[in-house]
Amino acid sequence: MLFFDISTWDPQDSEKVIEHFKNLKPPAGINVINQWVDLNGGRYFILYEAESNEAYAEFNIPWSDVCLIESVPVMESTDFIKLMISKGL
């Protein structure tokens, strides 16, 4: 399943966040598709695929001490349209 996460942090935690980024190694079951950083600071965006709930938790829990993560399950719009058509909607 695809997830789009928006991570935010307080400016005073920037050094802690940088340390987390230096050690960022997605666990097995996580495929990072792309990542972006807000040039204004304090936000990070990531699109990734998680193969299981366990992989999802293992990827996000280590950040809970420095970031607030808004995680949104997403799918490509063309796939969504096909799904809706197949359901008769």
Side-chain angles (χ1 to χ4, degrees):
M1 182 172 218
L2 287 175
F3 291 92
F4 186 81
D5 288 1
I6 303 168
S7 299
T8 57
W9 58 89
D10 290 326
Q12 67 264 19
D13 291 331
S14 291
E15 287 185 31
K16 290 179 188 175
V17 171
I18 289 168
E19 285 304 311
H20 271 48
F21 274 114
K22 287 179 184 177
N23 299 316
L24 179 63
K25 292 179 183 140
I30 296 292
N31 176 35
V32 175
I33 297 167
N34 213 333
Q35 310 169 69
W36 303 269
V37 176
D38 182 344
L39 296 177
N40 293 316
R43 288 193 307 175
Y44 165 74
F45 308 90
I46 184 169
L47 178 65
Y48 62 96
E49 184 173 19
E51 293 179 5
S52 67
N53 292 336
E54 293 80 10
Y56 172 86
E58 187 178 343
F59 189 50
N60 283 297
I61 288 173
W63 291 87
S64 63
D65 64 332
V66 294
C67 294
L68 174 64
I69 300 173
E70 180 182 357
S71 191
V72 181
V74 296
M75 70 187 312
E76 291 186 27
S77 59
T78 53
D79 292 338
F80 179 76
I81 291 168
K82 288 177 189 174
L83 177 64
M84 293 298 102
I85 290 170
S86 74
K87 301 293 181 186
L89 301 172

